[in-house]
Amino acid sequence: MSFSRRIGLGLLAATAIAFALPTAAQDYPNRVITMIVPFAAGGPTDTVARLIAEPMSKTLGQQVIVENVGGAGGTIGAGRVAKADPDGYTLLLHHIGQATSATLYRNLDYKPGEDFAGIGLVTDVPMTFVARGDFEAKSMQELVEYAKSHKDDVTIANAGVGSASHLCGMLFMEAIGTQLTTVAYKGTGPAMNDLLGGVFDFMCDQTTNTTSQIKGGKIKVYAVTSEKRVPSLPDVPTTTEAGLPNFRIGIWHGLYAPKGTPQPVIDKLEAALQAALKDPNVVARFADLGTEPVALDRATPAALDAYLKAEIAKWQPVITAAGVYAD
């Protein structure tokens, strides 16, 4: 084969690939889409994912299924998405742990701030301080006093290193100047089951996971970590009202695709996410769980990418000062 013929065939192949990429994006989606939740089923992030997956399926014309890939504070599932084909068929629904993992985990084989294409923010979720039903403390002030005076006996649980409950618990212990015995679980669902069973004393967890148990009177609640009271829990004071001033933490959720996903695919996913956040059932269910969808101008790739970078910068000195790391 002559040199000129080889060059000609190479140019033909390159042209075919160039035209195939937009065509594939135009045909998107033509099969099932997997939304990975990097935590156990039954937890708050899983709840958020399943609520938006159904209306997104309707908009996209293909089923969006939720797959739970838990472990290592969400980094196993996130890592799988980072390495997935950038074709829009593997997505990640993650919370604030996407930002904190950049500092918490020193041996990550992906970069949280670089290896993903943001689709949009989904919701901001307040946290609640909750305890087993027969725990001695009756108020937030009593909880603080009891924790300080029984620091060797009190147990505080979380859903694993880097989880929302871990971050909240870490800030709580810093705020009261007392280190407590920590019990780490592989997900919030299992932790809640053991809290209901009285296995440990208390934890700080998202309203999406605690509201129904609080309303059912199955666990004690002391405060919400938001600036204002939560409409679905109107009788629960804020941390400031309850005697723990300046303690505020909210857990945001974002939807991502792998880096390199074609822009037309991102555009379709963004439109589907925004349609889901306007869905009356999603709005109502979020309200029942003590949260609400973000404003649509935050449910965009640019907003999520900027917010993620800001959150990585915000949490880096906090985690470094606490000296908490995971391999």
Side-chain angles (χ1 to χ4, degrees):
M1 184 182 294
S2 68
F3 177 76
S4 59
R5 180 169 173 76
R6 286 199 303 272
I7 291 294
L9 288 174
L11 288 172
L12 254 168
T15 302
I17 291 171
F19 278 105
L21 287 175
T23 301
Q26 289 172 3
D27 291 341
Y28 175 86
N30 55 31
R31 55 187 171 88
V32 171
I33 299 165
T34 299
M35 184 186 296
I36 287 181
V37 172
F39 304 103
T45 304
D46 180 64
T47 299
V48 170
R50 293 180 190 278
L51 282 174
I52 66 170
E54 182 177 352
M56 285 187 68
S57 299
K58 292 178 182 177
T59 300
L60 293 165
Q62 290 289 341
Q63 186 178 10
V64 179
I65 63 170
V66 175
E67 181 182 352
N68 299 93
V69 183
T75 60
I76 294 176
R80 180 181 296 187
V81 178
K83 296 176 179 61
D85 291 335
D87 53 13
Y89 291 99
T90 306
L91 309 178
L92 173 70
L93 194 287
H94 205 343
H95 62 31
I96 192 174
Q98 180 77 332
T100 58
S101 61
T103 304
L104 274 170
Y105 291 86
R106 293 172 288 188
N107 297 311
L108 283 182
D109 56 357
Y110 65 93
K111 295 180 179 179
E114 299 178 21
D115 293 341
F116 298 87
I119 297 167
L121 285 154
V122 179
T123 184
D124 288 305
V125 184
M127 306 287 283
T128 50
F129 280 98
V130 293
R132 54 183 168 83
D134 59 350
F135 190 54
E136 290 82 347
K138 296 180 175 61
S139 67
M140 192 73 206
Q141 287 182 320
E142 287 189 16
L143 172 63
V144 172
E145 292 169 3
Y146 191 90
K148 287 182 174 182
S149 59
H150 296 78
K151 63 180 182 179
D152 294 329
D153 302 316
V154 173
T155 49
I156 179 172
N158 62 57
V161 174
S163 66
S165 50
H166 173 230
L167 296 172
C168 188
M170 186 168 63
L171 288 179
F172 174 74
M173 288 186 283
E174 181 182 31
I176 68 172
T178 305
Q179 290 299 309
L180 305 172
T181 300
T182 301
V183 183
Y185 285 81
K186 294 182 178 179
T188 309
M192 177 56 73
N193 287 337
D194 274 5
L195 180 63
L196 291 169
V199 175
F200 59 86
D201 294 322
F202 77 105
M203 68 177 177
C204 179
D205 198 14
Q206 300 172 60
T207 54
T208 44
N209 195 50
T210 62
T211 298
S212 61
Q213 306 295 354
I214 292 169
K215 288 184 174 181
K218 297 178 180 179
I219 55 178
K220 284 186 176 180
V221 59
Y222 300 112
V224 293
T225 63
S226 51
E227 182 179 0
K228 298 179 181 179
R229 293 195 181 198
V230 175
S232 61
L233 299 169
D235 297 328
V236 179
T238 66
T239 45
T240 298
E241 292 173 330
L244 195 64
N246 303 318
F247 189 99
R248 193 173 302 152
I249 179 174
I251 304 304
W252 52 272
H253 293 79
L255 185 63
Y256 308 82
K259 179 182 178 180
T261 300
Q263 190 59 47
V265 173
I266 295 293
D267 292 343
K268 289 183 179 181
L269 289 168
E270 177 190 1
L273 172 61
Q274 294 200 0
L277 297 183
K278 293 187 291 185
D279 183 273
N281 180 61
V282 171
V283 174
R285 288 288 292 119
F286 273 16
D288 289 340
L289 296 169
T291 186
E292 60 185 7
V294 298
L296 294 186
D297 62 355
R298 298 183 68 206
T300 66
L304 176 55
D305 290 343
Y307 197 70
L308 175 61
K309 289 178 181 178
E311 285 286 283
I312 290 174
K314 169 186 172 181
W315 283 96
Q316 191 274 334
V318 175
I319 294 167
T320 301
V324 179
Y325 298 102
D327 294 325

